[in-house]
Amino acid sequence: MRNVTVLAGGVGGARFTRGLLAHLATAAPDAAVTVIVNTGDDLWLDGLRICPDLDTVMYTLGGGINEEQGWGRPEETRRASSEIAAYGRGWSWFTLGDLDLATHIVRTDLLRSGSTLSEATEFLCRRWQPGVRLLPMSDHPIETHVCLAENIDEHAAGDYIHFEEWWVRYRARVAVTGFEQRGPADAVAAPGVLEAIQTADLIVLPPSNPVVSIGTILAVPGVRAALRSTTARVVGVSPIIGGAAVRGMADACLHTIGVETSALAVGLHYGSRSQGGVLDAWLVDETDAAALPALAAAGIRSAAAPLWMTDLPTTTAIAAAVLAL
Ligand code: GDP
Ligand code: CA
C-alpha cells in the first residue's frame, strides 16, 4: 500500500483521516496519503476567502483544531469580530475567531497576489504539517448554492442562497428544493487531483456528507470518470448509522435529493463500479449489518464494523477495517 487517496469534506473526513494516518503508521509506514477536499462550502465574507473544509482538515491533522466544535481553533477569542460588528459590518451568522481569522487573512493575501488556492493551501500547510498532501478539489471557485422552498427573512421561495448560509444560519431547517454548483464554465480539477485518483493503490470515501461534501467533489469535471477508471479499489465508509446522520444534518441533504437516510440507501446512491457507480466496497456500522445482503446483490462488497469515531483508537480501528475490506 503506497498511495492512498481520500475524498473529504470537513469534520467527518478530517477525523477519519486522522485515524487512517494512525493506522498506516504501523500497518504501512511508507504509504503516502493525499486528501482531496471539498471546496463547495468556500465563501467570501467581508473581503476574506473562507475555506471551511480545507481548514478543518488542516487544523485537525495539524493539531490545531477546536475538538468540541470540529472547526476553528481552540481557546479562541472573538475580539476582531466584535470590533467589525461595532462598525455595523461583519458576519452575524458566521463565527470567526481571532486566531482563525489570521489563516483567512494570509490565504486571502496569497490569492490576491496571484497564488492559486492549491498554492495558498500548500503554503498554509507548511506551518501545520498535516502529514498528508492536501489538495482543494479545484482552484476555481465552485460554490454550492441551495434553492429555497419557502420565504425566510429577506429571501423569497425560489431564491438561491449560499450553502453555508442555509447550513449555519438556518441549520438546514428551511426546506430546499435542490443544490446547484456555481462556478466558471471552464472549472476543472486542481493540479494533482485526477492523478491522485488514477495512481492510487486505494481510494477511500470517508464518512463525509454524501451530498454536499463528496457529491460536490464527484461533480468536478473528470473526477467521477477518474474514479470509474482507476485500478485502485474504492472503499467507502457510511456516514449514516442506524438511520441517523451521526453529527450534523446530512439527513436534510439526503432528503432534498430523494435518498433515504440509511447506510444502505447511501451505498446504493454511490453505486457499484461494476454497474456505473463509484464504489467497490462499503463499510457500514455493526447496527446496519442487515443491509449487507442487499449491498451484495447490488454488486458492492461490504462488511459491518463499529463506525462511531469517538476517539483515536476507535477511528484507527475503522481505518483498519477499510484496509481489510
Ligand atoms: P462537514 O463538511 O464538516 O459537514 O464534514 P463531512 O462532510 O466530512 O462529514 C460530515 C458527516 O460525517 C456527517 O453528516 C455525519 O454523517 C458523518 N459523521 C460524523 N461523525 C461521524 C462518526 O463518528 N461516524 C460516522 N460513521 N460518521 C460520522
Ligand atoms: Ca463542509
Side-chain angles (χ1 to χ4, degrees):
M1 190 65 56
R2 291 218 155 258
N3 296 307
V4 181
T5 296
V6 181
L7 272 53
V11 178
R15 290 203 178 165
F16 171 83
T17 305
R18 190 160 58 182
L20 176 69
L21 290 177
H23 175 66
L24 292 174
T26 51
D30 295 336
V33 177
T34 300
V35 185
I36 300 168
V37 182
N38 168 45
T39 54
D41 301 3
D42 294 10
L43 73 170
W44 288 99
L45 284 180
D46 284 66
L48 294 176
R49 190 65 174 162
I50 318 293
C51 301
D53 289 358
L54 276 172
D55 288 348
T56 286
V57 177
M58 180 175 77
Y59 291 154
T60 300
L61 301 181
I65 194 73
N66 182 318
E67 294 285 346
E68 290 84 62
Q69 287 179 168
W71 48 270
R73 305 279 308 280
E75 290 163 42
E76 270 284 43
T77 47
R78 304 266 160 77
R79 300 185 67 196
S81 298
S82 318
E83 283 296 298
I84 294 166
Y87 288 106
R89 298 189 61 94
W91 37 81
S92 59
W93 48 269
F94 206 89
T95 312
L96 291 176
D98 296 338
L99 304 179
D100 194 24
L101 268 171
T103 303
H104 309 313
I105 291 169
V106 172
R107 172 192 293 119
T108 305
D109 183 34
L110 290 164
L111 293 173
R112 292 181 76 104
S113 7
S115 294
T116 62
L117 181 57
S118 301
E119 289 163 349
T121 302
E122 192 184 342
F123 183 90
L124 295 172
C125 285
R126 274 183 221 159
R127 172 182 175 201
W128 290 103
Q129 297 288 320
V132 301
R133 187 164 61 121
L134 203 58
L135 301 178
M137 66 184 196
S138 176
D139 279 340
H140 294 104
I142 306 174
E143 296 184 354
T144 305
H145 289 240
V146 302
C147 184
L148 295 172
E150 53 191 272
N151 300 336
I152 177 94
D153 296 333
E154 68 273 28
H155 309 297
D159 282 358
Y160 279 83
I161 60 172
H162 192 286
F163 166 74
E164 285 289 317
E165 184 173 357
W166 179 58
W167 198 248
V168 177
R169 181 176 179 186
Y170 298 119
R171 304 269 158 217
R173 287 192 191 115
V174 180
V176 293
T177 57
F179 303 91
E180 188 177 293
Q181 256 97 45
R182 295 223 174 140
D186 61 349
V188 291
V193 165
L194 300 182
E195 293 77 359
I197 295 172
Q198 274 146 0
T199 63
D201 301 305
L202 170 69
I203 294 169
V204 188
L205 307 190
S208 282
N209 188 308
V211 183
V212 294
S213 292
I214 293 182
T216 312
I217 303 174
L218 292 176
V220 174
V223 169
R224 185 177 277 275
L227 270 178
R228 299 225 358 96
S229 64
T230 179
T231 53
R233 290 292 169 89
V234 184
V235 183
V237 182
S238 177
I240 305 299
I241 298 178
V246 182
R247 292 182 180 91
M249 304 151 300
D251 47 339
C253 302
L254 288 165
H255 178 74
T256 301
I257 64 161
V259 174
E260 189 193 310
T261 300
S262 73
L264 173 62
V266 174
L268 297 178
H269 169 67
Y270 283 136
S272 161
R273 284 216 296 167
S274 63
Q275 296 171 18
V278 295
L279 286 180
D280 292 309
W282 185 235
L283 191 63
V284 304
D285 185 73
E286 51 190 352
T287 59
D288 293 314
L292 299 189
L295 288 163
I300 302 170
R301 187 187 170 95
S302 58
L307 291 191
W308 279 93
M309 300 188 286
T310 37
D311 52 22
L312 189 56
T314 56
T315 312
T316 307
I318 297 171
V322 164
L323 269 85
L325 187 61

